[in-house]
Amino acid sequence: MRRAILRGTLVVIAAVTLTGCGSIISRTVPGQGHGNQYYPGVQWDVRVTVIDVPLSLIVDTFMLPIDARHGPYE
């Protein structure tokens, strides 16, 4: 029982640690966003890790007005 709780705790900690990585990396690290685009964090997560997709979707949705001001995109 303790092992299951420890394993669950580690999974939650890993998920929280990875939260928002795709959204942040795709906007701040040169060359990671593959040009200006809508929902770059979600697109980056699909290529790298799927764990962060739901949270990047939320962050990218909040960032959509900012991304739209920098458009038009391909």
Side-chain angles (χ1 to χ4, degrees):
M1 182 68 175
R2 282 186 155 181
R3 187 172 259 179
I5 292 172
L6 179 61
R7 186 174 289 168
T9 303
L10 289 175
V11 168
V12 169
I13 289 171
V16 169
T17 303
L18 293 172
T19 301
C21 286
S23 296
I24 293 168
I25 290 172
S26 63
R27 287 183 174 85
T28 58
V29 177
Q32 293 299 318
H34 293 285
N36 297 324
Q37 57 196 5
Y38 296 108
Y39 289 92
V42 175
Q43 294 176 18
W44 190 84
D45 285 338
V46 170
R47 291 182 296 133
V48 178
T49 178
V50 180
I51 296 172
D52 188 39
V53 170
L55 297 169
S56 286
L57 182 65
I58 293 169
V59 172
D60 286 348
T61 300
F62 285 121
M63 297 296 291
L64 191 59
I66 295 169
D67 292 339
R69 292 178 73 198
H70 290 94
Y73 300 129
E74 302 169 352

